[in-house]
Amino acid sequence: MDKKKRSTLITLGTVALGYAAFRTIPSLIPEKLVLEPLNSPTGFRKYVAGETSGGFDLFVGLDTPDSPEVLARKEAALERVTKNICASLYRDLSPANGQVPMASFSDYYCPFCRVQTKRLGEMVDTMPDAVSVAWHELPLLGDNSNLAAKAALAAKRQGAYVAFHDRLMKSPFVASDEYLQRLSKDLNVNFDQLNADMLSDEIATELEESAALARVFAFVGTPALVIGRTVVQGQVSDNMIREIIALEREEGWDAACTSA
């Protein structure tokens, strides 16, 4: 290979690597806050951000159809969350004056979620007076995702949600009974109680309601956020999240809660 061709290939390779690195760091991507009002639920608007996981199923149409009982539970969950969207989105939160609530929807095995969830946690730690987060489990990537989501919600019943959530997001291992047993031991969580709670109707209902909210806002994958009344689909930079928070504080995020 002559020097000119080699130089061209090196240049192209450098450009490709640089572009890949640029794409993986959301804070480096120039962004413009353009919002589109949603027809439903009223009072909300959307901002489409970056990559997502779990939005397209190659085997769609090949799955076993939901039973009438499952369909009835899904419709009941949808009816419950639409009665009070904000209460369902921001469950367990009581935003203080000036605080903007945020609802985060994620899957433990979505790579974009692992990055964004870590950054959101750091943001809450550094901006406690500005924002608070309600964490929603939205397991879209199969049985292991569903098992991990149930385990995290069961750990919440023992006051260990944050620790479980953090370990599951960072772990290179997929959730299994054996792994969850080891994790419970590490975090001083009663595994027998965890197992029982994972099978409870209460946790099934919580997952169904998060899935119903995803239907309401037409999420096509994870990660997804609702910041005040601004819906964000996909991975988004810290700078953009801060800009949306500032806008929500200025305009009054709770206006959506009176009109939804």
Side-chain angles (χ1 to χ4, degrees), residues 24 33 92 101 133 138 175 203:
T24 60
L33 182 56
D92 302 328
V133 179
L138 190 60
I203 283 179

Side-chain angles (χ1 to χ4, degrees), residues 43-209:
F44 288 85
R45 65 269 183 100
K46 69 176 178 179
Y47 168 72
V48 179
E51 290 97 337
T52 62
S53 293
F56 179 67
D57 185 356
L58 289 173
F59 301 102
V60 64
L62 299 181
D63 295 332
T64 303
D66 288 333
S67 67
E69 180 184 358
V70 170
L71 286 173
R73 288 186 65 103
K74 286 182 177 181
E75 291 307 311
L78 189 62
E79 184 177 348
R80 286 194 302 274
V81 301
T82 52
K83 282 182 179 178
N84 192 331
I85 292 289
C86 289
S88 300
L89 273 174
Y90 305 126
R91 61 192 181 206
D92 302 328
L93 295 184
S94 299
N97 288 338
Q99 253 189 353
V100 175
M102 186 186 308
S104 171
F105 294 78
S106 61
D107 184 305
Y108 288 105
Y109 301 110
C110 152
F112 309 113
C113 298
R114 290 190 166 206
V115 174
Q116 182 157 293
T117 298
K118 179 177 183 294
R119 290 170 31 235
L120 288 179
E122 292 169 351
M123 187 175 293
V124 172
D125 289 341
T126 57
M127 302 170 59
D129 296 330
V131 66
S132 55
V133 179
W135 304 100
H136 287 265
E137 308 296 343
L138 190 60
L140 300 176
L141 299 177
D143 292 341
N144 295 114
S145 292
N146 197 45
L147 187 66
K150 288 181 177 180
L153 293 177
K156 183 164 70 172
R157 274 66 184 170
Q158 298 186 50
Y161 177 80
V162 173
F164 239 79
H165 179 87
D166 185 59
R167 286 284 293 272
L168 287 167
M169 276 293 179
K170 292 177 179 177
S171 176
F173 304 106
V174 296
S176 65
D177 288 340
E178 184 180 33
Y179 174 71
L180 293 176
Q181 188 167 5
R182 292 202 308 270
L183 184 55
S184 297
K185 184 177 181 181
D186 287 349
L187 299 176
N188 295 316
V189 169
N190 184 307
F191 180 68
D192 290 336
Q193 185 62 52
L194 184 94
N195 236 351
D197 288 337
M198 286 171 65
L199 300 174
S200 70
D201 188 66
E202 184 182 1
I203 283 179
T205 296
E206 191 166 341
L207 286 171
E208 286 162 358
E209 290 183 353

